Amino acid sequence: MNKQKRIEILTRLRANNPHPTTELNYRNPFELLIAVLLSAQATDVGVNKATVGLFAAGPTPEAMLALGVDGVKQHIKTIGLFNSKAENVIKTCRILVEQYDSQVPEDREALEALPGVGRKTANVVLNTAFGWPTIAVDTHIYRVANRTRFAPGKTVREVEDKLVKVIPAEFKVDAHHWFILHGRYTCIARKPRCGSCLIEDLCEFKDKTEL
């Protein structure tokens, strides 16, 4: 895919949604970190239902740490992998309290060192909480980047590196939100809704549908 086509795709996505953000509910970097940590193999809708009570009971790292693993489990047991996630939430809160004065560090290395936090989660926090031009590649972005041929790659990291390279600076902060939403609602996994896609004429997917 050439540069002009990529810019037109991004321009249309921006015109359609000028101020995109995550669909996870949060009020500060701490709540965003916990929500993203919980979102692995879970829907944002499911996470939001669970975090209403969790954040009310544990609005700060200290308060959540005081809940203990069992206390966290009570709030997140509707989410997949809740046992290991509860352990990671408590371990992460302890590190935030003991090492970072209960603040979420604005540092990739520090974030990735937190239990349950990988590169994708760190990218989401740096982008959404702190405005960094990072691109978090989840299954939706990986699919959209490959299917459209916008930034094809065989691994998540390969796609991330290519997106960072080819997306102009003016679009970079918002790009991963546009791609996630596009993959979630239009360029869906089983049968993409090409007929209602605003970038269908620019997309290089060969097996387009009429829906």
Side-chain angles (χ1 to χ4, degrees), residues 96-115:
L96 293 179
V97 170
E98 293 177 355
Q99 297 183 26
Y100 298 106
D101 196 26
S102 297
Q103 300 299 307
V104 175
E106 188 179 344
D107 178 88
R108 175 186 296 285
E109 206 170 300
L111 286 169
E112 289 189 28
L114 296 172

Side-chain angles (χ1 to χ4, degrees), residues 16-197:
N16 183 61
N17 187 0
H19 306 291
T21 188
T22 178
E23 293 188 315
L24 292 168
N25 295 334
Y26 73 98
R27 294 169 296 188
N28 52 55
F30 171 64
E31 289 188 357
L32 177 66
L33 172 65
I34 298 302
V36 180
L37 190 157
L38 295 175
S39 70
Q41 297 182 41
T43 65
D44 287 0
V45 171
V47 172
N48 288 338
K49 285 180 181 176
T51 54
V52 170
L54 179 63
F55 292 157
T60 65
E62 292 96 336
M64 198 168 290
L65 187 58
L67 293 176
V69 172
D70 288 339
V72 171
K73 282 184 188 179
Q74 290 306 307
H75 292 286
I76 69 168
K77 56 189 175 185
T78 54
I79 300 175
L81 308 175
F82 72 92
N83 284 312
S84 60
K85 287 178 180 177
E87 298 269 1
N88 286 333
V89 165
I90 290 300
K91 288 175 185 174
T92 286
C93 288
R94 183 171 288 113
I95 291 171
L96 293 179
V97 170
E98 293 177 355
Q99 297 183 26
Y100 298 106
D101 196 26
S102 297
Q103 300 299 307
V104 175
E106 188 179 344
D107 178 88
R108 175 186 296 285
E109 206 170 300
L111 286 169
E112 289 189 28
L114 296 172
V117 177
R119 184 176 180 85
K120 186 191 82 171
T121 299
N123 275 337
V124 172
V125 173
L126 290 171
N127 175 278
T128 307
F130 300 115
W132 285 31
T134 57
I135 297 174
V137 178
D138 68 352
T139 54
H140 296 301
I141 295 183
Y142 182 79
R143 179 175 65 256
V144 171
N146 275 288
R147 187 183 272 165
T148 61
R149 309 305 293 168
F150 189 102
K154 292 179 180 175
T155 66
V156 167
R157 184 58 190 272
E158 194 178 331
V159 168
E160 180 190 332
D161 290 344
K162 190 167 286 189
L163 286 169
V164 169
K165 182 179 178 182
V166 302
I167 293 175
E170 66 175 296
F171 300 106
K172 213 162 267 182
V173 170
D174 293 326
H176 97 261
H177 294 300
W178 290 324
F179 280 114
I180 285 175
L181 295 171
H182 192 66
R184 188 172 286 165
Y185 298 111
T186 303
C187 196
I188 57 178
R190 291 189 177 177
K191 194 172 184 183
R193 297 167 178 150
C194 302
S196 60
C197 176

Side-chain angles (χ1 to χ4, degrees), residues 192-208:
R193 297 167 178 150
C194 302
S196 60
C197 176
L198 56 83
I199 60 168
E200 182 187 9
D201 56 314
L202 301 167
C203 171
E204 296 180 2
F205 182 49
K206 291 184 172 60
D207 302 312
K208 288 178 180 159

